[in-house]
Amino acid sequence: MHGYDDARSASRALATEAVHAGRDDLARQGLHAPPIDLSTTYPSYDSRGEAARIDAFATTGAEPDGPPVYGRLGNPTVARFETALARLEGTEAAVAFASGMAALSAVLLARASMGLRHVVAVRPLYGCSDHLLTAGLLGSEVTWTDPAGIGEALRPDTGLVMVESPANPTLAEVDLRAVAHACGSVPLLADNTFATPVLQRPAEHGARLVLHSATKYLGGHGDVMAGVVACDEEFAGRLRQVRFATGGVLHPLAGYLLLRGLSTLPVRVRAASATAAELVARLAADPRVARVHYPRTGGAMIAFEVHDDPHEVIAGVRLITPAVSLGSVDTLIQHPASISHRIVDENDRRGAGVSDRLLRMSVGLEDVDDLWTDLDQALGARQRPSRGAGLYRQAAPPRGATSHSAPAAAR
């Protein structure tokens, strides 16, 4: 969107930005809700002007001035979401795609077009991200390393360093500022899907690219699929050119739903995080649970390992939904080794900390006691804790319940 008042918005709190970013021009137009523009093409009687605008886009990837041209070049409804997400992440721009994997693919293609096909990456990553890099499906070559080895892994043709923090599914964290320093001039891409800009803004720590599977918390209701990259305007131009050429565009209705989802993002994330912290405390005190993983940043994601068969837990839930994905208003649970990370080589998966007994839970907005009742019965009767065990409340989980170890196909 053009005409956005950056000076005024710079002083806004995140909760205010979530409600107003991308919507600042509505009142002047006599509107309250953002309009949905479903047009695929737009009339113009000035073909010379259109030619000049297309030339400008081909050169820089900048959004064409004036009326829209064609749906693959951009859409006004999607642009509102992009404006809002950039404001929340603290970047110059954002470019939206049809899925998180389409967004990552566009980043890899953009760097490859500059002859920079080598990627340095830290496990664990989301399973399909891992697979995309490992399989070289876009012609990329990957070197896997731990955070301390990033500097030594860089090569003249390294186009990208990629991390996910907190990571899917172990919730392991990396020091983004230290990693960004180790990258030197190579762009750091941080997958911020789990934390969201409510809990962490990677650009403030040196990440030049911030990736989201917008399907998750940004949409927040399990009814939209999308991806987005927040970055500087120069790289956004390259991403728009890739999106135009490859067609991974976001549907306008999805853009509308995402913009609506952003307005409640801080409230949803904070409420679900408070419930997650309480569940972490209860799980950590439960003898049926071998280990609980929960990040320093907090959040609504929990991973835990059980002593008995994790498949029985999946089969035993009734209120919690056994399904892939995350970030919805309802609580979801899944077994990463069977689904989200099944596509990752078994040795690599286990080496990254994704054990066969690990379960990943996305905590929603239900009552904490109802969720615990469901988990309690799903965990079974083995060494059931005594009445009231672990039912204390605290701002953060016990020290032993927090996992910070790095190394771990639907999310």
Side-chain angles (χ1 to χ4, degrees):
M1 284 180 59
H2 301 286
Y4 189 79
D5 191 341
D6 288 308
R8 181 180 62 184
S9 65
S11 62
R12 290 174 174 170
L14 184 135
T16 303
E17 284 284 65
V19 173
H20 290 278
R23 303 167 178 84
D24 292 277
D25 63 324
L26 292 180
R28 293 191 297 273
Q29 298 183 53
L31 299 172
H32 185 237
I36 306 175
D37 188 333
L38 295 173
S39 298
T40 57
T41 192
Y42 299 85
S44 173
Y45 293 95
D46 181 10
S47 57
R48 293 185 181 87
E50 293 292 270
R53 295 166 71 204
I54 294 296
D55 287 345
F57 177 83
T59 302
T60 66
E63 295 178 289
D65 292 326
V69 177
Y70 184 58
R72 262 194 296 120
L73 274 166
N75 172 273
T77 306
V78 172
R80 290 183 180 277
F81 163 67
E82 293 172 331
T83 295
L85 192 278
R87 289 301 311 170
L88 292 180
E89 283 290 4
T91 59
E92 292 178 347
V95 184
F97 295 85
S99 70
M101 291 310 301
L104 176 57
S105 295
V107 171
L108 295 174
L109 289 171
R111 298 304 283 166
S113 71
M114 303 170 66
L116 302 170
R117 296 181 177 276
H118 180 241
V119 177
V120 174
V122 176
R123 282 190 171 115
L125 296 177
Y126 163 51
C128 278
S129 299
D130 188 309
H131 177 67
L132 180 65
L133 294 175
T134 302
L137 295 175
L138 297 179
S140 57
E141 178 187 349
V142 63
T143 297
W144 295 102
T145 186
D146 58 29
I150 288 174
E152 293 184 1
L154 299 177
R155 305 186 328 205
D157 63 338
T158 302
L160 192 70
V161 174
M162 183 173 180
V163 300
E164 183 174 0
S165 182
N168 187 352
T170 65
L171 304 177
E173 297 173 280
V174 299
D175 182 336
L176 291 175
R177 193 175 299 278
V179 168
H181 179 74
C183 290
S185 61
V186 177
L188 169 63
L189 182 150
D191 188 329
N192 203 33
T193 298
F194 276 20
T196 81
V198 177
L199 302 177
Q200 171 180 270
R201 304 215 301 180
E204 295 178 348
H205 301 285
R208 290 169 58 186
L209 309 172
V210 183
L211 174 69
H212 285 273
S213 172
T215 308
K216 313 308 190 292
Y217 288 105
L218 302 189
H221 293 77
D223 56 7
V224 59
M225 184 168 288
V228 63
V229 179
C231 55
D232 60 38
E233 178 55 39
E234 180 181 0
F235 197 78
R238 290 188 174 275
L239 291 178
R240 293 186 197 108
Q241 289 175 321
V242 172
R243 183 177 64 182
F244 173 73
T246 60
V249 296
L250 184 66
H251 192 276
L253 180 58
Y256 172 85
L257 290 172
L258 287 167
L259 186 63
R260 186 175 69 170
L262 289 185
S263 64
T264 61
L265 178 66
V267 176
R268 288 186 286 104
V269 169
R270 288 167 181 152
S273 297
T275 300
E278 170 63 13
L279 291 175
V280 164
R282 300 185 189 193
L283 287 167
D286 195 310
R288 297 168 296 180
V289 176
R291 188 181 182 190
V292 180
H293 304 256
Y294 192 65
R296 293 185 185 91
T297 55
M301 298 300 301
I302 300 172
F304 62 97
E305 299 170 47
V306 295
H307 291 291
D308 293 331
D309 188 350
H311 300 285
E312 293 300 316
V313 179
I314 295 290
V317 293
R318 294 296 177 264
L319 175 65
I320 298 168
T321 303
V324 298
S325 200
L326 55 106
S328 187
V329 292
D330 60 320
T331 299
L332 309 178
I333 192 169
Q334 66 113 333
H335 182 240
S338 295
I339 305 179
S340 65
H341 288 69
R342 188 69 178 179
I343 202 169
V344 179
D345 176 81
E346 182 177 358
N347 291 329
D348 291 337
R349 185 171 70 233
R350 290 177 175 172
V354 186
S355 79
D356 290 342
R357 295 189 181 276
L358 182 75
L359 293 166
R360 191 198 71 189
M361 188 163 66
S362 168
V363 178
L365 300 180
E366 302 94 338
D367 181 83
V368 65
D369 289 320
D370 289 334
L371 290 173
W372 178 249
T373 296
D374 196 40
L375 271 178
D376 183 40
Q377 62 84 26
L379 285 167
R382 178 186 182 270
Q383 293 183 309
R384 186 182 299 276
S386 61
R387 184 177 179 80
L391 302 189
Y392 54 91
R393 293 185 178 274
Q394 55 182 33
R399 180 179 298 273
T402 305
S403 172
H404 307 301
S405 55
R411 280 191 188 256

